[in-house]
Amino acid sequence: MKTLIVDPALHSHGGHHYAAVDRLQAELSRLGIDAPCLGSAVAHPDVIRALDCTAAFTCPVYGRDYASAGEFAVRVAQTSRELSRALQHLGVWPDILILPCCDHVLAASVARVLRQNPMKRPPHVLMWLLYGPHHRLAPDNPAAIPFHDDARRAFIALLKAVGDRRHLAAYGETEAMAAFYRRLLPFDVTVAPGAGIPLPAAAAESPSDPSDHPRLTIAGFTNRSKGYRLLPEAIPRLLERHATSRFTVHGIVAGSDAEDDSWIFDDLERLGPRVDIRRGVLSDEDYVELLSRTDLLLLPYDPEAYSARGSAMSNEARRMGIPIVAPADCAFAWPAFAEGHGVAMSRYSPDGLAEATVNALDRLDALKVQASAVAVTTKDPLNGILEATVEAAHARPHHGAAGTLRRLLGFAS
């Protein structure tokens, strides 16, 4: 069963893209399946070695500027050429194609390559739709609406190229994102978190020792949408109001869209020993250890970018029983708010972050107990998704003359 993972944004250790491919490969290996990947043209040599990665793509979703009407077509042309070239280099035509971070440029590019090879049986496609048609804007933002038609055409083209909707499986990380795409597209989109690092089993929470210092964490890439710029004002206010609290601020500046924001960490380092600053990529073990020692996870993500999007860290907090603080308008946090282990920022500002965090600290024990109770019952669906994918690919009939004719005529069942 030849399987290929494709993510044009995969380039370095750390963050969602590396974790997703690493986890997918590990789970597929347990099923007896090797799954090489195609990543960014600037993928680091250690990523290429670790993930059996071929450096291929020059146009990840984060590079889009949406500035011209022809940008989409130019990027599809470039990405499809690079995909076709990489497939020829590998000498592999996949039975299963996994797109862990699929935007409509990638969807249209895959569709084009499949159409260019009508005599080859199209693969079973498994994809996660993590972003709306404009990756920096909410799907319903008026400025994003002009890109909806491009997205609709791209994914319909992919469905036609695959030839059978039973062999196209799509997932969104939040109900809001899945519902948006269900309205836009003629196939179902199911809700499931994307692949992430393996996590330890959650345990029931015991009451805290009153002498313990609450440990608050923010971590990840320092992209502007992650809210790091709120911290130099918010954390001093929190230190004044909660004398026992301790903060760990981890950030990966290199490769983010805020490489000029290292001043944030310089400012925070001046706040003293109660603020632990960590820069650069963490190993999986160090990252899990950081989360395991976290009492409250801060996710002050920009609601404009994250109104419908998911969050890998929110998924990990849920599975590990960690309460969160996040903006009220971020869809990834709505389940935590509804289930009683999340506290909402009513205003997206340093004051709004400080107020919500104080609220959470004032009832931290109750939040942790509820988070732990939810974590114990939360299952990671990834294994089931991959098993169903392999089963569906095995069940696909051989690509005979009738199937070829249907694809050449543009039919999809």
Side-chain angles (χ1 to χ4, degrees):
M1 184 62 59
K2 296 175 182 177
T3 300
L4 183 66
I5 303 170
V6 177
D7 184 353
L10 173 66
H11 70 285
S12 67
H13 280 283
H16 166 76
H17 300 280
Y18 185 93
V21 174
D22 189 40
R23 177 76 187 288
L24 286 165
Q25 289 181 334
E27 298 302 333
L28 288 164
S29 178
R30 292 190 180 94
L31 299 174
I33 296 173
D34 291 330
C37 70
L38 305 180
S40 168
V42 296
H44 295 182
D46 56 345
V47 172
I48 291 172
R49 288 190 297 270
L51 299 182
D52 191 10
C53 176
T54 297
F57 300 103
T58 57
C59 301
V61 61
Y62 308 109
R64 292 201 63 186
D65 59 23
Y66 307 94
S68 67
E71 185 208 18
F72 171 71
V74 169
R75 286 186 175 269
V76 171
Q78 180 69 22
T79 302
S80 60
R81 283 196 300 270
E82 292 165 345
L83 175 58
S84 182
R85 189 181 306 131
L87 289 171
Q88 291 172 7
H89 171 76
L90 288 175
V92 169
W93 186 261
D95 301 297
I96 298 172
L97 186 63
I98 301 178
L99 312 175
C101 181
C102 186
D103 70 326
H104 54 289
V105 170
L106 183 55
S109 302
V110 171
R112 180 173 296 186
V113 171
L114 296 185
R115 290 197 305 270
Q116 290 168 348
N117 293 271
M119 301 305 293
K120 296 179 179 178
R121 184 174 70 167
H124 182 99
V125 176
L126 169 63
M127 59 185 177
W128 274 266
L129 311 180
L130 302 187
Y131 307 100
H134 190 305
H135 77 278
R136 290 190 293 268
L137 299 176
D140 60 355
N141 186 304
I145 292 174
F147 304 100
H148 288 193
D149 283 344
D150 283 342
R152 181 184 296 106
R153 287 193 294 269
F155 286 109
I156 290 175
L158 179 58
L159 173 62
K160 289 181 178 179
V162 170
D164 188 329
R165 70 184 66 235
R166 292 172 297 179
H167 293 284
L168 181 68
Y171 293 87
E173 289 199 299
T174 68
E175 177 57 35
M177 188 65 76
F180 165 75
Y181 276 114
R182 287 188 207 114
R183 293 190 297 270
L184 191 71
L185 306 176
F187 53 82
D188 191 29
V189 180
T190 306
V191 180
I197 65 173
L199 296 173
E205 179 66 29
S206 56
S208 299
D209 184 327
S211 64
D212 285 349
H213 301 302
R215 295 155 295 186
L216 291 74
T217 297
I218 180 170
F221 272 90
T222 60
N223 292 325
R224 291 188 177 89
S225 60
K226 296 294 183 68
Y228 279 80
R229 290 192 177 203
L230 304 182
L231 302 181
E233 292 183 51
I235 288 182
R237 296 170 194 178
L238 287 163
L239 292 172
E240 291 175 2
R241 297 175 69 175
H242 265 268
T244 63
S245 56
R246 299 288 186 269
F247 292 84
T248 297
V249 180
H250 163 260
I252 304 170
V253 175
S256 75
D257 64 9
E259 292 192 338
D260 57 347
D261 280 355
S262 59
W263 63 267
I264 294 172
F265 298 90
D266 297 336
D267 283 1
L268 294 174
E269 279 184 327
R270 300 186 185 102
L271 296 177
R274 290 167 58 193
V275 182
D276 176 24
I277 302 299
R278 303 192 187 185
R279 312 190 197 209
V281 176
L282 298 175
S283 68
D284 286 356
E285 294 77 12
D286 288 342
Y287 177 69
V288 170
E289 181 186 8
L290 175 62
L291 289 184
S292 69
R293 294 187 291 103
T294 295
D295 295 298
L296 183 66
L297 186 64
L298 306 183
L299 301 171
Y301 295 178
D302 184 348
E304 179 52 60
Y306 279 88
S307 67
R309 277 172 57 180
S311 157
M313 290 203 70
S314 176
N315 296 335
E316 289 152 0
R318 180 182 184 85
R319 289 170 53 205
M320 291 186 70
I322 305 169
I324 66 170
V325 170
D329 293 330
C330 287
F332 67 78
W334 293 348
F337 299 154
E339 294 161 347
H341 52 97
V343 175
M345 296 167 55
S346 59
R347 293 175 294 147
Y348 191 68
S349 66
D351 281 340
L353 174 58
E355 289 170 6
T357 304
V358 168
N359 181 340
L361 289 170
D362 286 346
R363 50 194 181 96
L364 186 57
D365 277 351
L367 291 169
K368 290 174 67 176
V369 167
Q370 185 60 23
S372 293
V374 170
V376 168
T377 63
T378 297
K379 306 299 182 185
D380 185 349
L382 183 63
N383 288 342
I385 289 172
L386 293 179
E387 288 171 1
T389 298
V390 172
E391 182 179 349
H394 273 302
R396 184 158 202 163
H398 290 293
H399 189 51
T404 298
L405 180 60
R406 288 182 61 78
R407 292 189 69 229
L408 289 172
L409 295 175
F411 292 118
S413 56

